[in-house]
Amino acid sequence: MKIDVQINLKQLKDRVASKQVQDFWINGIVIPRMKKYMPARDKQEPEKQLVLGGASHKNGLVTVKGSQMQYLYYGKLMVGKPKKAIDKDLRYTTTINRQAGPFWDRRLVQHEHEQMEKELLSYLERGNR
């Protein structure tokens, strides 16, 4: 499953296109922050899914590994073979991540957009392009 976490930095489009900046965006900003919005049975679970995904990103997309991650992302119970989502919401365990729930990317941007933007701008200002 691929997740695109974007913030609107049109004025910086040329500067954020480089591989080095994309790597920092995904591995330095998005992945560490997204973990706390993902459901987990143990502390290593989101780490495993996203670290693998962070190594395989292209063009700012995070690849989340694991067959169960799609239904966890959408938050719907899936039944049958092949699995199909039904109109019943999943109940997430919040013991490990209190903010766990569906649509990790959207919730991340909704809650942390400003901080993420500042962090990226600070990185760019330090001369890393």
Side-chain angles (χ1 to χ4, degrees):
M1 163 177 216
K2 296 191 184 304
I3 298 174
D4 188 6
V5 180
Q6 294 185 354
I7 56 174
N8 191 10
L9 294 173
K10 290 180 183 173
Q11 74 276 16
L12 298 174
K13 189 172 183 169
D14 295 336
R15 291 177 68 188
V16 298
S18 78
K19 182 180 181 334
Q20 183 180 1
V21 174
Q22 287 293 327
D23 285 346
F24 178 77
W25 171 249
I26 297 298
N27 293 314
I29 297 176
V30 173
I31 287 177
R33 292 171 181 272
M34 191 182 298
K35 290 176 193 174
K36 62 186 159 192
Y37 296 97
M38 296 177 71
R41 290 175 290 209
D42 64 54
K43 290 184 180 185
Q44 280 74 42
E45 197 167 24
E47 185 80 26
K48 292 176 203 167
Q49 306 299 338
L50 287 171
V51 169
L52 288 170
S56 66
H57 78 277
K58 276 190 171 182
N59 300 323
L61 295 175
V62 177
T63 304
V64 183
K65 306 286 186 180
S67 56
Q68 77 283 12
M69 299 314 282
Q70 187 166 359
Y71 79 86
L72 289 173
Y73 176 79
Y74 290 109
K76 296 293 181 185
L77 185 63
M78 297 183 82
V79 296
K81 287 190 178 190
K83 298 275 187 201
K84 294 196 185 230
I86 62 172
D87 195 27
K88 184 171 182 178
D89 293 336
L90 290 177
R91 287 184 28 208
Y92 291 94
T93 301
T94 56
T95 306
I96 303 294
N97 292 335
R98 293 199 178 276
Q99 299 176 25
F103 303 106
W104 318 306
D105 58 334
R106 297 175 195 173
R107 294 171 57 236
L108 168 64
V109 172
Q110 177 185 5
H111 294 282
E112 301 189 36
H113 176 271
E114 267 185 50
Q115 297 92 339
M116 292 167 64
E117 185 176 311
K118 285 178 185 175
E119 199 171 330
L120 182 60
L121 289 170
S122 173
Y123 176 80
L124 291 169
E125 288 170 2
R126 289 192 309 255
N128 300 305
R129 296 166 210 235

